[in-house]
Amino acid sequence: LSLTGEGVQARRAALARVDSAESWLHRTELQVAHAARSSYVDAVVALRVADVAEQGLELATRLHAAVLKLHDEGEASMLDVNLAQLARAQAASRLLAARESEGELLAVLAGLIVQGLTRSSLIADLDALAPAPSSPSPVRSDVVAAEASLLAAERELTTQRAASVPPVGLGARVETQGGVTTVGPALTVELPLFDRNQAGRGHATGQVRVAEARLAETRAVAATEQVTTRDRDALAQETLRSIGADPIEAAIMALASVESGYLAGEIDLTSTVLLQAQILDGEIAVVELEGHVARARLDLLLATDDTALLGGAR
């Protein structure tokens, strides 16, 4: 029996470690959900960029055919034919590069969700992937875990201090002498002269200092991430609103206007190629912007321990 409560303190330290593990488990669940959703966003963005690249190849193919027809009619030079052919080759290269990136990101996502994927199996809804904040936690779970780890370390130090005094042994003594049996209580006491658990106390003290440092680091990182992700999310949402409604549709209409202008003889080939490239680059930039907006929202949800990452359920 410990006269200093060593066993009680050890139990309290173990309970604190359990609390820390539970909080870390919840934080890990959020991190895994964040990683899966972010990977899904990347795959959707890559798919939509590939769609734009495919649209560009279709435009370049039609333009090349139109230039060939005009050349046969004596209305276009060989330089125009070569320029249209190069524009088509560039569009094909962009499409193949986009498809390569799409395939790589689909493979990454498939590894996270452990399910085979094709481009047709993705739901290209970034708003659903990055939902609005719903239930942010006042204290992040990794901070709670670090606090519980410090408490466990402090209780372990108390346990090691209690172990400086050896336990007292209680039992029964039985002696037989001359046919007479004597039964009585037994008490065993060890007097520590040199070993007062210095090693155990020293190790526990070091663990307390480590836990204090980790708690301070975790709090600082959490506070910084919450401030920066709120600012980035606000900026992302405002930027998305500022470009107006349905910019992709506007880009499609602009491409159709440029193509019609060339066929009507109102725009020369060089201007047509450059304008189409600029519009397609702008369309890709819009798609990538939407991806940045979604990732900013996901980072905010993770920074605030929002269970919206888990679909509202822990």
Side-chain angles (χ1 to χ4, degrees):
L1 300 177
S2 173
L3 300 179
T4 54
E6 179 183 350
V8 174
Q9 297 301 327
R11 181 176 182 276
R12 295 178 65 207
L15 290 175
R17 286 193 291 271
V18 170
D19 292 340
S20 178
E22 290 177 346
S23 295
W24 277 117
L25 174 61
H26 180 51
R27 182 63 182 173
T28 302
E29 290 173 345
L30 292 170
Q31 290 172 336
V32 171
H34 174 271
R37 286 177 181 265
S38 297
S39 181
Y40 204 119
V41 167
D42 291 343
V44 169
V45 169
L47 185 149
R48 292 176 60 185
V49 168
D51 288 342
V52 174
E54 184 174 2
Q55 179 186 17
L57 179 58
E58 292 172 355
L59 282 171
T61 301
R62 289 200 303 267
L63 182 62
H64 183 240
V67 172
L68 284 176
K69 182 179 179 181
L70 290 174
H71 179 265
D72 293 340
E73 297 172 353
E75 298 294 331
S77 66
M78 195 62 199
L79 177 62
D80 289 343
V81 173
N82 293 336
L83 179 61
Q85 185 177 7
L86 290 174
R88 185 181 180 187
Q90 290 173 341
S93 178
R94 284 195 297 267
L95 176 58
L96 290 176
R99 290 293 191 200
E100 181 180 352
S101 177
E102 174 191 309
E104 292 173 351
L105 292 172
L106 281 174
V108 172
L109 177 60
L112 286 173
I113 66 176
V114 197
Q115 178 181 336
L117 294 174
T118 62
R119 68 186 332 262
S120 61
S121 62
L122 291 186
I123 301 175
D125 186 357
L126 295 181
D127 290 335
L129 291 172
S134 62
S135 55
S137 175
V139 183
R140 249 171 51 165
S141 51
D142 55 346
V143 174
V144 174
E147 291 173 343
S149 293
L150 175 57
L151 180 60
E154 291 173 340
R155 289 177 174 176
E156 180 62 25
L157 175 58
T158 302
T159 302
Q160 295 302 322
R161 286 172 176 168
S164 299
V165 178
V168 174
L170 296 179
R173 176 178 57 83
V174 179
E175 293 183 359
T176 301
Q177 186 175 7
V180 178
T181 300
T182 305
V183 180
L187 175 65
T188 303
V189 179
E190 181 181 344
L191 297 178
L193 298 179
F194 301 103
D195 183 8
R196 298 185 57 83
N197 196 29
Q198 293 93 330
R201 288 185 286 123
H203 177 73
T205 300
Q207 291 301 107
V208 168
R209 291 174 180 172
V210 170
E212 288 173 342
R214 287 177 178 168
L215 175 57
E217 176 188 1
T218 305
R219 282 174 173 167
V221 170
T224 301
E225 288 180 348
Q226 288 170 349
V227 171
T228 56
T229 55
R230 284 193 182 99
D231 290 345
R232 186 156 62 91
D233 179 68
L235 175 62
Q237 297 296 327
E238 178 59 31
T239 302
L240 187 61
R241 286 191 295 267
S242 68
I243 64 175
D246 208 350
I248 299 297
E249 183 63 28
I252 294 174
M253 293 175 61
L255 288 170
S257 297
V258 171
E259 186 176 19
S260 298
Y262 173 75
L263 295 176
E266 298 172 354
I267 306 175
D268 61 66
L269 180 61
T270 301
S271 298
T272 299
V273 171
L274 292 176
L275 286 172
Q276 286 182 344
Q278 289 178 346
I279 295 170
L280 290 170
D281 286 344
E283 194 172 348
I284 290 175
V286 171
V287 173
E288 292 177 341
L289 171 62
E290 293 175 349
H292 288 306
V293 171
R295 283 187 287 269
R297 174 57 54 82
L298 291 175
D299 289 347
L300 173 62
L301 296 178
L302 180 62
T304 56
D305 251 30
D306 199 315
T307 54
L309 279 174
L310 305 176
R314 180 172 176 176

